[in-house]
Amino acid sequence: MSIGTIELHPFTHDDLPAIRQVLLDVHSDAYADQMDDEFVQRFPWFVDHWGGHPGFACVIGYDGQEPVGFAYGAPATEGREWWREHVPTPPADPSTFSVSELMVRPRWRKQGISEQLHEALVAARPEALAVLLVDPQHPKVEALYESWGYRRVGSRQPFPDSPNFAVMLRDLKASRDR
């Protein structure tokens, strides 16, 4: 799949050893101005944690040989969908794909690449829902996710040193039916 000159490549759990450094390099560029933050420095742990999930899925965008960004996540464990605490009545099908990371390197931002990466990641997912966390200190990012069909359902601080993120939920089945 391609977007102009950007080629999108899907990867799975089995590919993590081959793509791990690419993810780390893109992250280092995307967060170059925040690398002194201890939470940002733990990104390799998050890559290993999410990549260790057998259902891990990742899409990396390339401009020629240059990685420009990626999106990744994994299915939530059935019955342990942590977003449920924010929804008064859970849907009949609570199966959830957790979108863990979506980032684009600065040089390629504001070209629609993040949406293309995201859609390539979730388009064929069998789960009924997608969930993600977004730092509410970035209202433009939250608004972007809303334009993609997500809605804010609550707030969550998953780690003591992480932001208190906005919890955003999207009905994937409704998106596919459009």
Side-chain angles (χ1 to χ4, degrees):
M1 178 186 308
S2 68
I3 311 163
T5 59
I6 305 301
E7 293 281 332
L8 301 178
H9 297 273
F11 298 94
T12 67
H13 162 78
D14 294 337
D15 300 311
L16 186 61
I19 66 168
R20 185 177 186 277
Q21 191 60 51
V22 171
L23 301 178
L24 298 179
D25 292 346
V26 169
H27 176 265
S28 290
D29 189 20
Y31 285 89
D33 61 340
Q34 298 174 43
M35 291 308 290
D36 58 340
D37 183 305
E38 287 183 31
F39 185 72
V40 172
Q41 292 172 5
R42 289 205 326 259
F43 183 70
W45 179 88
F46 289 105
V47 168
D48 295 337
H49 171 77
W50 285 94
H53 190 291
F56 173 78
C58 179
V59 176
I60 300 176
Y62 289 90
D63 183 355
Q65 298 298 311
E66 191 72 26
V68 302
F70 62 82
Y72 73 67
T77 302
E78 186 177 340
R80 295 184 56 210
E81 298 90 357
W82 50 263
W83 55 263
R84 285 180 184 230
E85 66 193 56
H86 303 290
V87 179
T89 306
D93 181 356
S95 62
T96 307
F97 184 77
S98 300
V99 178
S100 176
E101 293 291 343
L102 172 61
M103 65 184 70
V104 176
R105 295 171 64 196
R107 179 174 155 206
W108 287 274
R109 290 181 184 156
K110 298 186 182 190
Q111 299 178 40
I113 294 170
S114 62
E115 183 175 12
Q116 297 298 320
L117 288 164
H118 175 270
E119 290 307 310
L121 180 67
V122 301
R125 296 300 316 173
E127 294 84 9
L129 304 166
V131 67
L132 56 78
L133 300 175
V134 63
D135 187 340
Q137 297 297 315
H138 302 285
K140 289 181 181 178
V141 176
E142 188 171 344
L144 181 65
Y145 288 132
E146 288 173 350
S147 76
W148 299 349
Y150 284 89
R151 64 186 170 90
R152 186 179 187 161
V153 296
S155 298
R156 178 179 183 87
Q157 185 175 11
F159 301 97
D161 61 343
S162 73
N164 189 15
F165 292 107
V167 177
M168 302 194 76
L169 198 61
R170 176 177 166 182
D171 184 333
L172 292 177
K173 285 186 175 182
S175 298
R176 287 188 287 268
D177 293 342
R178 281 188 226 161

